[in-house]
Amino acid sequence: METKSTSSAAPTEGGDTFRIRFIFANRDGIHAEIECSPSDNIETVTKALQSKWPSEINETAPDCDRIRLICMGKGVLGPSRKTLEECEVPVFLTHPTPVNVSVKPITANQSKISSIDRINDRYIDPPPTECCCTMM
């Protein structure tokens, strides 16, 4: 079996689209596939992934800014306005292009925002937390 690839996201035989298979970190056997074009930007691809997010991982997909796409030695794909072709994502004629997915953990600032309570259609900030340590 011969595997053909190009150095960047070029159309496959018979069309201008190709398939990407997303492989999730620490989730063996769970994947998602989308069809995309070399001219699609990273944000478009990430949003397409969100729409096909596997329920085995979580019922709802994380925000786009927390999803990292990592492709075959290219590192994290980005910035979000860059196209797949500009990121030099390889295209295979025999199988979908594998792209690893990792989700950034929520930082302290993000968790504070998500813990805002909604009361009577108003958003109320959580009470401030203060901590003081003294070392002697």
Side-chain angles (χ1 to χ4, degrees):
M1 179 152 108
E2 182 180 76
T3 302
K4 291 184 179 180
S5 69
T6 61
S7 61
S8 64
T12 60
E13 290 176 0
D16 63 346
T17 62
F18 67 100
R19 298 194 59 75
I20 290 179
R21 174 177 276 200
F22 296 103
I23 302 164
F24 297 87
N26 302 319
R27 303 291 182 150
D28 291 340
I30 298 175
H31 64 273
E33 283 189 23
I34 65 165
E35 194 163 306
C36 54
S37 167
S39 61
D40 289 343
N41 64 30
I42 302 303
E43 182 178 17
T44 302
V45 172
T46 305
K47 286 182 179 180
L49 170 60
Q50 280 183 311
S51 71
K52 295 199 175 231
W53 194 261
S55 59
E56 297 92 349
I57 295 176
N58 201 351
E59 289 298 317
T60 57
D63 295 333
C64 281
D65 62 338
R66 291 185 51 221
I67 297 174
R68 294 179 184 161
L69 304 178
I70 304 161
C71 185
M72 303 179 69
K74 304 290 182 193
V76 176
L77 301 179
S80 61
R81 290 182 300 272
K82 216 171 185 184
T83 67
L84 294 171
E85 191 167 29
E86 291 170 332
C87 290
E88 298 179 352
V89 173
V91 173
F92 300 96
L93 300 179
T94 57
H95 58 277
T97 300
V99 173
N100 292 294
V101 178
S102 118
V103 178
K104 292 187 223 176
I106 295 176
T107 63
N109 289 342
Q110 289 172 325
S111 64
K112 186 184 278 187
I113 291 169
S114 66
S115 67
I116 294 175
D117 295 324
R118 183 177 175 173
I119 301 173
N120 298 330
D121 291 328
R122 295 183 320 158
Y123 289 95
I124 299 174
D125 289 328
T129 57
E130 294 182 25
C131 180
C132 180
C133 295
T134 305
M135 301 204 49
M136 295 186 184

